[in-house]
Amino acid sequence: MIVQRQNGVALWRQIADRIRSSIASGDYDRDGRVPPELTLAAQFGVNRHTVRSALAALAEEGIVRAVQGRGTMIERKERLNFPISRRTRFTQGIGDQAREKEGLLLAAAEEEASVDIAGRLAVPVGSPVIRMETLRRADRRPVSRAASWFPAGRFGGMAEAYERTGSITAAFAALGLTDYVRAVTEVSAIHADAQDLADLRQSPGAIVLVTRAVNCDLEGVPVQYSVTRFPADLVQFTIEN
Amino acid sequence: MIVQRQNGVALWRQIADRIRSSIASGDYDRDGRVPPELTLAAQFGVNRHTVRSALAALAEEGIVRAVQGRGTMIERKERLNFPISRRTRFTQGIGDQAREKEGLLLAAAEEEASVDIAGRLAVPVGSPVIRMETLRRADRRPVSRAASWFPAGRFGGMAEAYERTGSITAAFAALGLTDYVRAVTEVSAIHADAQDLADLRQSPGAIVLVTRAVNCDLEGVPVQYSVTRFPADLVQFTIEN
DNA sequence: TAAAAATGTCTATTGATATAGACAACTAGA
DNA sequence: TCTAGTTGTCTATATCAATAGACATTTTTA
C-alpha cells in the first residue's frame, strides 16, 4: 500500500480515507476491528503516530472506537447505493437500505430563471421558477443536499407540498403530476466545501459526488432540474439500463 | 469563498483545485487569465504566498503560465463528457471532443475468475477469464485506466484483437460479436492513489471517478466486466435515459 | 500470575505549511 | 518616460505534519 508524500494532502488524511473505505468494503468484517496500529503503520509505510492521527480522525467521525489493550473497534460501516434509471425515485431508491428516511425543506423561494436553469427547464430566461433547497437523511445521517428548480406556473405549491410529504414524488402527485421520468443525469465529483462540511456532516477533505438531473413529465416537458450533492464515502450510484 | 483549515488538506492544494475547476467552468474566459495573486488571496482569505503555491502547482500541471508584470495566463482548459447509456461506447462517446483518440493495451493475462469477477460475468468461480489492462488517451492526455475481464472460452483472442484495433467494439466485432449493450454501471469517487498519479498523470490529491460496468450481448449474457478510473478534473458523465 | 499484545501519553527533532513584510523586475498604458 | 499593476525573490516567524523513542496502562492469553 502506497501513500503519497508532499502533495498537499496530509498522510494521516490519506490513511484515514483508505481505512474508511476498507471498512465500507468489509475488509475487516472478519474480526470487527481495524488491524493494530503497528500493523497499519507497516502496511502504509509510515510511523505509528501518523496512523494514530488517522484513527483519531475516524473516531471523531464515529466510525471507529479505540479501546486500550484490546484494539480499535468498528462502530459503523455503511454505503448507500442509489439506482439511477429512467424511473429514478430518491425515496424508493433507498428502499430498505435505511430504516428511517427523511426529507427536509431548508429553503424555498420564487426567482427568475437564469440562463442555465432556463435551458435545463426549457422555459424563457427570466421566467418565474421555484427554487427549493432540501436535505435528505437516512437513519439520521445526511445523505444528500439538493437545490431544485420547478416552473412556477405549473408547480407554484411545490414547497408546501414537499414540506408536508417529505418526498418529491408525493409532492408532484399532490399537484396533479402522477408520473414523471428522469431525462438526464450528469455525475461529477469534487472536494467537499465548507457548506458540505456543515450540511452533509462530511469529514474535512472528503469527496462529494454531484449530480445534475432533469425530470420530465410523460410528454417530455421538463418539470424539475436539480443539483444534488452526496458524500462519496457513504454513497455510490448504480446505472441500470 | 471559503477554504478549510487544519483538515489534512493543505490550503494551497484546495485553492489549486478550486482555480482549476474555475478555469474548466470558463469563469476566467473573459480575459484569458487568472485574477491577480493579491485578488485571489483576498477572495480565499489567505496570504499571497499561499496563492502562489497553488498557482505554481497549476503551472506544473501545464494549466497556467505566469508572466512577470502581465499576469497568470490560462494555457489549457478542458473537460470531457462521457455519455453512459444502454449503448455506451467509449470511443464513440468521446466523439469530436478530442481530435486524437488512442487505446493502449498495458497488460493481458488469462486468470481464474475470483468470486467478484465470476459473479459479474455470471461464470463459475475459478473458470478461465481474460484480464486486460488498458489506458485510453484523448489528444495525448490520459483520460481513463481500465481493468477488464472477458470469459476466456468465448473471447480468447481479445487481447490481440484490442491491440490491433485500439477499440473494444472493434475487437468484439473481430471475434464475431457485432453488437452489445451496457447492462449496469456503478459510479463512485475516491482520491487518486499512486497508480493513478503515474497512469492518469494526475495532480497529487486529485479525485478519481471509478466506474464498474457490465456489458452483455443481445441475449443478456455478460461479455465484459470492467473497472475504469477517470480523472475527475477532466471527465464527467452524462446518463441519458 | 506472568507475558504478550494492544492503545495512551510524553518528549524531541525535522521538514512542510502558512503568514508577514520588503523590495526587485517586468509589462502596459497614460 | 513615468507610473500603476503585476509577478519574482528574499528573510523571518509560527504552526502543522511526520518521525523517533521511551514508557505507562489496559486487555487477552498462555
Side-chain angles (χ1 to χ4, degrees), chain A residues 5 10-12 46-50 68-70:
Chain A
R5 284 160 195 271
L11 294 183
W12 65 262
V46 301
N47 191 274
R48 177 183 160 225
H49 293 296
T50 307
Q68 188 172 161
R70 287 187 68 192

Coordinates of all heavy atoms in Angstrom, one line a residue, chain A residues 5 10-12 46-50 68-70, chain D residues 17-28:
Chain A
R5 N 3.6 11.4 -0.6 CA 4.1 12.4 0.3 C 4.2 13.8 -0.4 O 4.4 13.8 -1.6 CB 5.5 12.0 0.8 CG 5.4 10.9 1.9 CD 6.7 10.2 2.0 NE 6.4 8.9 2.8 CZ 6.5 8.8 4.1 NH1 6.7 9.9 4.8 NH2 6.2 7.7 4.7
A10 N -2.3 15.6 3.7 CA -1.5 15.1 4.8 C -1.6 13.5 4.8 O -2.7 13.0 4.4 CB -2.0 15.6 6.1
L11 N -0.6 12.9 5.2 CA -0.6 11.4 5.2 C -1.7 10.9 6.1 O -2.4 9.9 5.7 CB 0.7 10.9 5.7 CG 2.0 11.1 4.8 CD1 3.2 10.5 5.4 CD2 1.7 10.6 3.4
W12 N -1.9 11.5 7.2 CA -3.0 11.0 8.1 C -4.4 11.1 7.4 O -5.2 10.2 7.6 CB -3.0 11.7 9.5 CG -3.3 13.1 9.5 CD1 -2.4 14.2 9.5 CD2 -4.6 13.7 9.5 NE1 -3.1 15.4 9.5 CE2 -4.4 15.1 9.5 CE3 -5.9 13.2 9.5 CZ2 -5.5 16.0 9.5 CZ3 -7.0 14.1 9.4 CH2 -6.7 15.5 9.5
V46 N 4.4 4.1 7.2 CA 4.5 5.4 8.0 C 4.7 5.1 9.5 O 4.7 3.9 9.9 CB 3.2 6.2 7.8 CG1 3.0 6.6 6.4 CG2 2.0 5.5 8.4
N47 N 4.9 6.1 10.2 CA 5.1 6.0 11.7 C 3.8 5.6 12.3 O 2.7 6.0 11.9 CB 5.7 7.3 12.2 CG 6.1 7.1 13.6 OD1 5.4 7.2 14.6 ND2 7.4 6.8 13.8
R48 N 3.9 5.0 13.5 CA 2.7 4.6 14.2 C 1.9 5.9 14.6 O 0.6 5.8 14.6 CB 3.1 3.8 15.5 CG 1.9 3.5 16.4 CD 2.3 2.8 17.6 NE 1.2 2.9 18.6 CZ 1.4 3.3 19.9 NH1 2.6 3.5 20.4 NH2 0.4 3.4 20.7
H49 N 2.5 6.9 14.9 CA 1.8 8.2 15.3 C 1.0 8.7 14.2 O -0.1 9.3 14.4 CB 2.8 9.2 15.8 CG 3.5 8.8 17.1 ND1 2.9 8.7 18.3 CD2 4.8 8.5 17.3 CE1 3.8 8.3 19.2 NE2 4.9 8.2 18.7
T50 N 1.5 8.5 13.0 CA 0.7 9.0 11.8 C -0.6 8.2 11.7 O -1.7 8.8 11.4 CB 1.5 8.9 10.6 OG1 2.8 9.5 10.8 CG2 0.9 9.6 9.4
Q68 N -8.2 0.7 24.9 CA -6.8 0.4 25.3 C -6.7 -1.0 25.6 O -7.5 -1.6 26.4 CB -6.4 1.3 26.4 CG -4.9 1.2 26.8 CD -4.5 2.2 27.8 OE1 -3.5 2.0 28.5 NE2 -5.3 3.3 28.0
G69 N -5.6 -1.7 25.1 CA -5.4 -3.1 25.4 C -6.1 -4.0 24.4 O -5.6 -5.1 24.2
R70 N -7.2 -3.6 23.9 CA -8.0 -4.5 23.0 C -7.7 -4.3 21.6 O -7.3 -5.2 20.8 CB -9.5 -4.4 23.3 CG -9.9 -5.0 24.6 CD -11.4 -5.0 24.7 NE -12.1 -5.9 23.8 CZ -13.4 -5.9 23.5 NH1 -14.2 -5.0 24.1 NH2 -13.9 -6.8 22.7
Chain D
dA17 P -1.9 19.3 10.4 OP1 -2.9 19.2 9.3 OP2 -2.3 18.9 11.8 O5' -0.6 18.6 10.0 C5' 0.1 19.0 8.8 C4' 1.2 18.1 8.4 O4' 2.4 18.3 9.2 C3' 0.9 16.6 8.6 O3' 1.5 15.9 7.6 C2' 1.5 16.3 10.0 C1' 2.8 17.2 9.9 N9 3.2 17.7 11.2 C8 2.5 18.2 12.2 N7 3.2 18.6 13.3 C5 4.5 18.4 12.8 C6 5.8 18.7 13.4 N6 5.9 19.2 14.7 N1 6.9 18.3 12.7 C2 6.8 17.8 11.5 N3 5.7 17.5 10.8 C4 4.6 17.8 11.6
dA18 P 1.3 14.3 7.4 OP1 1.3 13.9 6.0 OP2 0.1 13.9 8.3 O5' 2.6 13.7 8.1 C5' 3.8 13.8 7.4 C4' 4.9 13.2 8.3 O4' 5.1 14.1 9.4 C3' 4.7 11.8 8.8 O3' 5.6 10.9 8.2 C2' 5.0 12.0 10.3 C1' 5.7 13.3 10.4 N9 5.5 14.0 11.7 C8 4.4 14.3 12.4 N7 4.5 14.9 13.5 C5 5.9 15.1 13.6 C6 6.7 15.6 14.6 N6 6.3 16.2 15.7 N1 8.1 15.6 14.4 C2 8.5 15.0 13.3 N3 7.8 14.4 12.3 C4 6.5 14.5 12.5
dT19 P 5.8 9.4 8.7 OP1 6.2 8.6 7.5 OP2 4.6 9.0 9.5 O5' 7.1 9.6 9.7 C5' 8.2 10.2 9.2 C4' 9.3 10.2 10.3 O4' 8.8 11.1 11.3 C3' 9.5 8.9 11.0 O3' 10.9 8.5 10.8 C2' 9.1 9.1 12.4 C1' 9.2 10.6 12.5 N1 8.3 11.2 13.6 C2 8.9 11.9 14.6 O2 10.1 12.1 14.7 N3 8.0 12.4 15.5 C4 6.6 12.3 15.4 O4 5.9 12.8 16.3 C5 6.1 11.6 14.3 C7 4.6 11.4 14.2 C6 7.0 11.1 13.5
dA20 P 11.3 7.0 11.2 OP1 12.6 6.7 10.5 OP2 10.2 6.1 11.2 O5' 11.7 7.2 12.8 C5' 12.6 8.2 13.2 C4' 12.8 8.2 14.7 O4' 11.8 9.1 15.3 C3' 12.7 6.8 15.3 O3' 13.9 6.4 15.8 C2' 11.6 7.0 16.4 C1' 11.5 8.5 16.6 N9 10.2 9.0 16.9 C8 9.0 8.8 16.3 N7 8.0 9.3 16.9 C5 8.5 10.0 18.0 C6 8.0 10.8 19.0 N6 6.7 11.0 19.1 N1 8.8 11.3 20.0 C2 10.1 11.0 19.9 N3 10.8 10.3 19.0 C4 9.9 9.8 18.0
dG21 P 14.1 4.9 16.4 OP1 15.5 4.6 16.2 OP2 13.0 4.1 15.9 O5' 13.8 5.2 18.0 C5' 14.5 6.3 18.6 C4' 14.0 6.4 20.0 O4' 12.7 7.1 20.0 C3' 13.7 5.1 20.8 O3' 14.5 5.2 22.0 C2' 12.2 5.1 21.1 C1' 11.9 6.6 21.0 N9 10.5 6.8 20.7 C8 9.7 6.3 19.6 N7 8.5 6.7 19.6 C5 8.4 7.6 20.7 C6 7.3 8.3 21.2 O6 6.2 8.4 20.8 N1 7.6 9.0 22.4 C2 8.9 9.0 23.0 N2 9.0 9.8 24.1 N3 9.9 8.3 22.5 C4 9.6 7.6 21.4
dA22 P 14.6 3.9 22.9 OP1 16.0 3.8 23.3 OP2 13.9 2.7 22.3 O5' 13.8 4.3 24.2 C5' 13.9 5.6 24.7 C4' 12.8 5.8 25.8 O4' 11.6 6.2 25.1 C3' 12.5 4.6 26.6 O3' 12.7 4.9 28.0 C2' 11.1 4.2 26.3 C1' 10.5 5.5 25.7 N9 9.5 5.4 24.7 C8 9.5 4.6 23.6 N7 8.4 4.6 22.9 C5 7.6 5.5 23.6 C6 6.3 5.9 23.4 N6 5.5 5.5 22.4 N1 5.8 6.8 24.3 C2 6.5 7.2 25.4 N3 7.8 6.8 25.7 C4 8.2 6.0 24.7
dC23 P 12.7 3.7 29.1 OP1 13.6 4.2 30.2 OP2 12.9 2.4 28.4 O5' 11.2 3.7 29.6 C5' 10.6 5.0 30.0 C4' 9.1 4.9 30.1 O4' 8.6 4.8 28.8 C3' 8.6 3.7 30.9 O3' 7.8 4.1 31.9 C2' 7.8 2.9 29.8 C1' 7.4 4.0 28.9 N1 6.9 3.6 27.5 C2 5.7 4.1 27.0 O2 5.1 4.9 27.7 N3 5.3 3.7 25.8 C4 6.0 2.8 25.1 N4 5.5 2.4 23.9 C5 7.2 2.3 25.6 C6 7.7 2.7 26.8
dA24 P 7.2 3.1 33.0 OP1 7.7 3.5 34.3 OP2 7.3 1.7 32.5 O5' 5.7 3.5 33.0 C5' 5.3 4.9 32.8 C4' 3.8 5.0 32.5 O4' 3.6 4.7 31.2 C3' 2.9 4.0 33.4 O3' 1.8 4.7 33.8 C2' 2.6 2.9 32.4 C1' 2.6 3.6 31.0 N9 3.0 2.8 29.9 C8 4.2 2.2 29.7 N7 4.3 1.5 28.6 C5 3.0 1.7 28.0 C6 2.5 1.3 26.8 N6 3.1 0.5 25.9 N1 1.2 1.6 26.5 C2 0.6 2.4 27.4 N3 1.0 2.9 28.5 C4 2.3 2.5 28.8
dT25 P 0.8 4.0 34.8 OP1 0.1 5.0 35.6 OP2 1.5 2.9 35.5 O5' -0.3 3.4 33.8 C5' -1.1 4.2 33.0 C4' -2.0 3.4 32.2 O4' -1.3 2.7 31.1 C3' -2.8 2.3 33.0 O3' -4.2 2.5 32.7 C2' -2.3 1.0 32.4 C1' -1.9 1.4 31.0 N1 -0.8 0.5 30.4 C2 -1.0 0.0 29.2 O2 -2.0 0.2 28.5 N3 0.0 -0.7 28.7 C4 1.2 -1.0 29.3 O4 2.1 -1.7 28.8 C5 1.4 -0.4 30.6 C7 2.6 -0.7 31.4 C6 0.4 0.3 31.1
dT26 P -5.3 1.8 33.6 OP1 -6.4 2.7 33.9 OP2 -4.6 1.1 34.8 O5' -5.8 0.6 32.6 C5' -6.4 1.0 31.4 C4' -6.4 -0.2 30.5 O4' -5.1 -0.6 30.1 C3' -7.1 -1.4 31.0 O3' -8.3 -1.6 30.3 C2' -6.1 -2.6 30.8 C1' -5.1 -2.0 29.8 N1 -3.8 -2.5 30.0 C2 -3.2 -3.2 28.9 O2 -3.8 -3.4 27.9 N3 -1.9 -3.6 29.1 C4 -1.2 -3.5 30.3 O4 0.0 -3.9 30.3 C5 -1.8 -2.8 31.3 C7 -1.1 -2.5 32.6 C6 -3.1 -2.3 31.1
dT27 P -9.4 -2.8 30.7 OP1 -10.7 -2.3 30.4 OP2 -9.0 -3.2 32.1 O5' -9.0 -3.9 29.7 C5' -9.0 -3.7 28.3 C4' -8.5 -4.9 27.6 O4' -7.0 -5.0 27.9 C3' -9.1 -6.2 27.9 O3' -9.6 -6.8 26.8 C2' -7.9 -7.1 28.5 C1' -6.7 -6.4 28.0 N1 -5.5 -6.5 28.8 C2 -4.3 -7.0 28.3 O2 -4.3 -7.4 27.1 N3 -3.2 -7.0 29.1 C4 -3.2 -6.6 30.4 O4 -2.2 -6.6 31.1 C5 -4.4 -6.0 30.9 C7 -4.5 -5.5 32.3 C6 -5.5 -6.0 30.1
dT28 P -10.5 -8.2 26.8 OP1 -11.5 -8.1 25.8 OP2 -10.8 -8.5 28.3 O5' -9.4 -9.3 26.4 C5' -8.6 -9.0 25.2 C4' -7.5 -10.0 25.0 O4' -6.5 -9.8 26.0 C3' -8.0 -11.5 25.2 O3' -7.6 -12.3 24.1 C2' -7.2 -11.9 26.5 C1' -6.0 -11.0 26.5 N1 -5.4 -10.7 27.8 C2 -4.1 -10.9 28.0 O2 -3.4 -11.3 27.1 N3 -3.6 -10.6 29.2 C4 -4.3 -10.1 30.3 O4 -3.8 -9.8 31.4 C5 -5.7 -9.9 30.0 C7 -6.6 -9.4 31.1 C6 -6.2 -10.2 28.8

